[in-house]
Amino acid sequence: MTETHTGVPSSYPPSPEFAAQSNATAALYDEAEADRLAFWAKQAQRLSWATPFTEVLDWSEAPFAKWFVGGKINVAYNCVDRHVEAGNGDRVAIHWEGEPVGDARDITYAELKDEVCRAANTLTELGLTAGDRVAIYMPMVPEAIVAMLACARLGVLHSVVFAGFSASALRARIDDAKAKVVITTDGQFRRGKAVSLKAGVDEAIEGLGEDSPVEHVLVVRRTEIDVPWTEGRDLWWHETVAKADTEHTPKAFDSEHPLFLLYTSGTTGKPKGIIHTTGGYLTQASYTHHYVFDIKPESDVFWCTADIGWVTGHTYIVYGPLSNGVTQVVYEGTPASPDEHRHFQVIEKYGVTIYYTAPTLIRTFMKWGRELAFEHDLSSLRLLGSVGEPINPEAWRWYRLVFGGDRTPVVDTWWQTETGAIMISPLPGVSDAKPGSAMRALPGISAKVVDDDGNELGIGAEHGEQATGYLVLDKPWPAMLRGIWGDPERYQDTYWSRFADKGWYFAGDGARYGSDGETWVLGRIDDVMNISGHRISTAEVESALVGHTGVAEAAVVGATDDQTGQAICAFVILKAHHAETEPDKLVDDLRAEVSKEISPIAKPREIHIVPELPKTRSGKIMRRLLRDVAEGRELGDTSTLVDPSVFEAIRASK
Ligand code: WTA
């Protein structure tokens, strides 16, 4: 290992033992390099196709890609039926662990197949056909995964809405996708308390009034709390799905048939419905899961701690692990429920071998202290992963030491909702890993760090000043998004206009190269914040704040935060008649407003009531300067401001 000046290794090569058994070898890079499309054609053979494809990639209508042209495939068949047919029906697909201790269920692949078929039959009876949309607003219960797979089986697009989102956020997503059916639960457990979820669905649908596209609401009983009920529209899962037939013949869909929509924050207030399709997405989900996590389906117990409401849950709880036929843990609750031992107990109980989580949680564990981990036997762990935001080297080392006994590889995986699957990551058993760097693009993927004009940056030095640039993807990849639902123009503008002359995808992240040519992703450079790995746009929060009657204007920035990566800081100007209101009360009201409009996760850490906002002569708010204020830095260049003295007033408000 190469040591840094502080005496800790700056790079971690794979151990000979791990390398000897790893799925990946260095030859994978060479193979992809030699013929990229042939490489992807081979990866697509990981799946079972009803009709083989005739062309790997059609990029003639860029940036609208077609992968595995002519191929036909059923995603649910690939994730469930084929494992049963191969004789693995008795293998546990999901060790489900409910939030209340002792509330657990094991579901084998054979049982999962029956459940998915039942749900597919019920959805068909409700009149859904291929191309229709279904909104899924559920906590982490097995039925959520069954619902997603049942949609996939029918070629119906699911739009999973994180159950932590508000009724108003749900309403906007149901409306945009024109979802005919909403699948939900009566309520969800949150830190030991049962809270309603179905009531939020009703509120969302009511909000749509006459224009509501929703014909049915299918409700899983989870907490047994009382729910509002609309006869004819609302149906219980246990009275419909549970009684449906377990026979269902899957139909194969075109490789480019849309598989799902997933809404994510953009730089405007309106969330974007990212479209993913069938063959390419599943190929890359399966391929990355196999190599990046070194999956051995016969012996591994995989645990991805994400929620199905985010893309990580889609690709590394549902489609990656299930297409590979692995056994995994799905946990319903929060890490501190009933206490901070919970994750360690779950790892011990199921003998988890591969654990994939977010840096924000690792930093929370660091705060709780390593003694907690040392009370448990974590020796089953053999690989650790990280996703969602840049991981600071200190957290990376702590993770490897405390979770991994200083022995396991750590894979820092960079990707996005839009990329569908992992793009940049070390390959365990092959790559040296540097704490804090996602290292290099996976075999078959091409990424570059470039300057404003698209010139590739030089290889940087490890320490000291180095050039930073834009992270771009210069070649199409199978799991790439195929567009934004209902808005092809926004798709082109958002992702393909920055380097239009080159035909590159711009991810929105800044990055630099390290001394060995590895990539260091530095985080978003647009107006998207990353709070505990959750993407939230400044515009969305601003629009929720100005929705309050007292607020005239609002500006929101993401400021560095030790725990959550970034924290939301808001600056608001009040309307004249509100200037008299008790400021503390108003700040509380505003935080509640954001929570109601978006989600509790979007609540600002700080709200400052200010007399003025810093603006350029063209009226644009200078967020960079607000970020300086929020982070307590010396102000950057203020020369373009109309009135530089506004900062004295803003500072005084802090
Ligand atoms: C950030 C999550 C650094 C990045 C899968 C990206 C990361 C955004 C990493 C996508 C990483 C994700 N290192 N930054 N390993 N992984 N990001 O769409 O800013 O929720 O653009 O997808 O998270 O967030 P999203």
Side-chain angles (χ1 to χ4, degrees), residues 39 117 135 356 371 374 399 435 476 488 525 571 623:
F39 175 82
C117 289
Y356 187 34
E371 295 71 25
F374 294 157
Y399 190 31
I525 57 157
F571 298 84
R623 278 173 221 285

Side-chain angles (χ1 to χ4, degrees), residues 357-591:
T357 196
T360 186
L361 187 61
I362 298 166
R363 291 192 296 267
T364 304
F365 283 124
M366 287 172 79
K367 196 179 72 188
W368 291 340
R370 62 181 66 189
E371 295 71 25
L372 218 62
F374 294 157
E375 285 178 40
H376 300 273
D377 178 7
L378 306 181
S379 61
S380 58
L381 289 171
R382 64 178 197 91
L383 177 68
L384 303 170
S386 168
V387 62
E389 54 174 314
I391 179 165
N392 45 314
E394 195 198 352
W396 193 104
R397 291 196 171 89
W398 191 95
Y399 190 31
R400 175 174 151 116
L401 180 70
V402 176
F403 273 70
D406 216 10
R407 119 194 90 71
T408 61
V410 175
V411 290
D412 172 6
T413 63
W414 177 88
W415 58 296
Q416 310 178 298
T417 304
E418 292 86 342
T419 69
I422 298 171
M423 303 293 282
I424 305 179
S425 164
L427 274 184
V430 180
S431 322
D432 291 5
K434 295 187 184 182
S437 168
M439 302 308 288
R440 60 185 284 206
L442 290 178
I445 301 297
S446 187
K448 279 192 169 82
V449 183
V450 301
D451 68 14
D452 267 318
D453 303 320
N455 304 309
E456 188 166 11
L457 297 188
I459 303 300
E462 194 85 331
H463 300 288
E465 277 300 298
Q466 39 227 304
T468 63
Y470 305 99
L471 179 60
V472 297
L473 302 169
D474 57 318
K475 296 204 174 84
W477 63 101
M480 68 194 294
L481 76 166
R482 302 300 198 264
I484 295 176
W485 185 251
D487 204 344
E489 245 164 67
R490 190 174 177 197
Y491 170 61
Q492 303 241 19
D493 288 353
T494 309
Y495 304 107
W496 303 93
S497 64
R498 183 68 188 74
F499 297 100
D501 53 331
K502 314 257 190 211
W504 295 343
Y505 168 93
F506 174 47
D509 279 324
R512 66 175 177 82
Y513 286 128
S515 56
D516 296 313
E518 79 281 6
T519 302
W520 294 71
V521 180
L522 305 169
R524 313 261 342 165
I525 57 157
D526 53 11
D527 290 332
V528 175
M529 299 173 289
N530 189 327
I531 317 297
S532 298
H534 298 148
R535 269 167 74 168
I536 298 167
S537 82
T538 54
E540 245 175 309
V541 180
E542 286 166 1
S543 122
L545 288 168
V546 297
H548 185 279
T549 51
V551 175
E553 216 177 331
V556 164
V557 297
T560 307
D561 184 279
D562 284 348
Q563 195 65 47
T564 56
Q566 282 192 316
I568 304 180
C569 293
F571 298 84
V572 299
I573 303 178
L574 298 185
K575 287 185 189 153
H577 65 275
H578 255 85
E580 299 303 311
T581 320
E582 191 57 40
D584 284 352
K585 156 113 185 33
L586 191 71
V587 166
D588 286 349
D589 287 355
L590 288 176
R591 299 181 81 232

